[in-house]
Amino acid sequence: MAIREIQAKQMLSSRARPDPRFGLRYTFNIYRGCQHGCIYCDSRSLCYGIEDFDEILVKADALERLADEWPRKRVKGLVGTGSMSDPYGPVEAGLLLTRGALEIVARHGFPLHLITRSDLAVRDADLLARIALDTACYVWFTITTADDALAALVEPRSPSPARRLAAIRALSEAGVTTGVTPMPVLPYLEDTEENVTDVVRRAADSGASYVIPAFSMTMRDRQRDYYYAALDRQWPGLSERYRRRYGKRYECPGDRAPRLQQAFAGLVAAYGLATRVPPWASSAAATQATLF
C-alpha cells in the first residue's frame, strides 16, 4: 500500500455554530485515504476527491499547521477527528502525528471527539485521559459486528472487534468517555437482532457510555461499485439482491431496520446506555448555568 507525503493548505475547519448531531465546532484530519480496507466506506465516493483511497496521503506539515492555526481559535469548542480517515491507521504507529495533534489539543485546553476502529488509541491513553480531565474526551469505536470472523471479511485490515472492545475497557478505566458506533449495520449481513444484541451487550460490558447505530448504509458511484465487487468475491449473488432492493439510491436502510430499532431501544434502556454523545459545555457556559 503506497504512502505519500503532501502539504496541508489548512488543518482546522471551523463552523459558525456546533453541528446539531455531534456538537463539533472544529474538525481536522491528518491523513487522507485509509489502510483498514472496509468494504463499505463512504469516503471512497467521488465527491471527496480522493483518487486512490488505498493510497495513504500524509499531511507532513500537519503539526506545524495545527500549532500555527490553533491560537487564532478564540471560541472554545468540541474538536473532531476521524471523519474522513482513521487517525489510528497502521501508518500512525510509526509517524506519531495523531499523538502530536493530541498534545496540541491538550495544550490549548479544547475538548475532543475522536472516531476510530483501532486499538492503537490505547497507546495515547495518557493524553486522552488528560484531555478528559481538563475538559472532555469522547472516543468512538466503530463496531458493526462483534463477530471477529465476519468483521475480517467486511473490514479486512482493521483490528478485530475483540481488540477494539479491549481498547474500550482500557480507555474507560483511564477516565475517557467511550462509545460504540454500529455504523453501518450492513443489510443482509449484519442486520439481525442477535448481532445488534451482541454488539450492545459487549459494548456495555467493556465500559462504553453510549451506542449510536445506523441500521442502514449509504451507497453512491465509486463506493457502490467497490462494495458490490467485494460482495461478489465473498458472497456471490448478494450484490444482485442489493441492486434489486436499492437501485441507485444513496440511503439504503435494511428491511429489518424498524424491528432492530425497537430491539435496540430496549437494549440500551436495560444496559443504561446513552444514544448520543454527552453534551459538553465550556467552563464559561457551566458557570453561567450555575449562576442562573
Side-chain angles (χ1 to χ4, degrees):
M1 181 173 290
I3 299 173
R4 180 162 58 90
E5 289 189 353
I6 59 173
Q7 300 298 304
K9 295 180 180 179
Q10 179 183 348
M11 283 300 300
L12 272 175
S13 298
S14 307
R15 298 175 59 97
R17 292 183 176 85
D19 78 271
R21 188 172 189 187
F22 304 125
L24 300 180
R25 189 76 182 242
Y26 307 102
T27 57
F28 69 89
N29 287 282
I30 291 174
Y31 304 104
R32 299 191 74 189
C34 188
Q35 293 170 294
H36 286 148
C38 303
I39 66 174
Y40 51 75
C41 186
D42 181 66
S43 295
R44 295 181 185 278
S45 302
L46 286 167
C47 62
Y48 298 114
I50 304 174
E51 286 305 314
D52 182 359
F53 194 66
D54 290 321
E55 179 184 38
I56 307 305
L57 304 181
V58 179
K59 298 176 183 177
D61 59 341
L63 301 186
E64 291 83 355
R65 288 283 186 181
L66 286 173
D68 176 65
E69 295 172 22
W70 220 293
R72 295 195 288 273
K73 304 305 178 184
R74 302 299 184 186
V75 178
K76 188 169 289 189
L78 190 59
V79 181
T81 188
S83 58
M84 285 297 297
S85 181
D86 198 312
Y88 286 110
V91 67
E92 167 62 18
L95 295 181
L96 301 175
L97 291 178
T98 294
R99 182 171 178 84
L102 296 185
E103 291 173 346
I104 296 171
V105 174
R107 187 184 314 142
H108 289 280
F110 277 57
L112 178 72
H113 173 284
L114 185 150
I115 305 172
T116 185
R117 53 172 43 77
S118 174
D119 58 341
L120 182 58
V122 176
R123 180 201 66 189
D124 296 336
D126 58 330
L127 285 170
L128 295 168
R130 175 182 161 190
I131 295 168
L133 185 63
D134 290 346
T135 50
C137 184
Y138 311 115
V139 179
W140 292 29
F141 284 84
T142 302
I143 301 178
T144 66
T145 177
D147 183 334
D148 285 357
L150 178 57
L153 297 177
V154 299
E155 304 164 347
R157 296 189 296 273
S158 299
S160 69
R163 287 170 56 184
R164 285 175 248 172
L165 289 161
I168 289 171
R169 182 177 299 280
L171 291 178
S172 297
E173 290 175 351
V176 177
T177 302
T178 58
V180 168
T181 55
M183 292 186 187
V185 175
L186 299 174
Y188 311 125
L189 288 172
E190 300 173 334
D191 59 342
T192 65
E193 288 190 37
E194 292 79 11
N195 182 56
V196 172
T197 299
D198 200 24
V199 170
V200 173
R201 175 183 61 81
R202 294 182 68 179
D205 290 347
S206 299
S209 299
Y210 55 92
V211 179
I212 306 175
F215 299 117
S216 65
M217 69 178 300
T218 58
M219 288 193 290
R220 54 186 163 192
D221 51 71
R222 186 167 58 191
Q223 177 232 353
R224 181 188 295 109
D225 295 340
Y226 187 94
Y227 182 64
Y228 284 171
L231 292 183
D232 289 339
R233 287 193 301 272
Q234 300 291 350
W235 298 278
L238 185 53
S239 68
E240 185 56 35
R241 190 174 182 184
Y242 272 82
R243 289 184 176 90
R244 290 197 304 268
R245 174 69 174 83
Y246 300 114
K248 296 292 185 180
R249 289 171 58 182
Y250 173 63
E251 296 281 352
C252 304
D255 296 337
R256 301 172 182 145
R259 190 171 71 204
L260 294 178
Q261 185 61 55
Q262 186 177 18
F264 172 77
L267 287 165
V268 293
Y271 285 107
L273 295 166
T275 56
R276 61 179 298 170
V277 178
W280 173 83
S282 66
S283 57
T287 301
Q288 188 177 37
T290 303
L291 291 174
F292 294 98

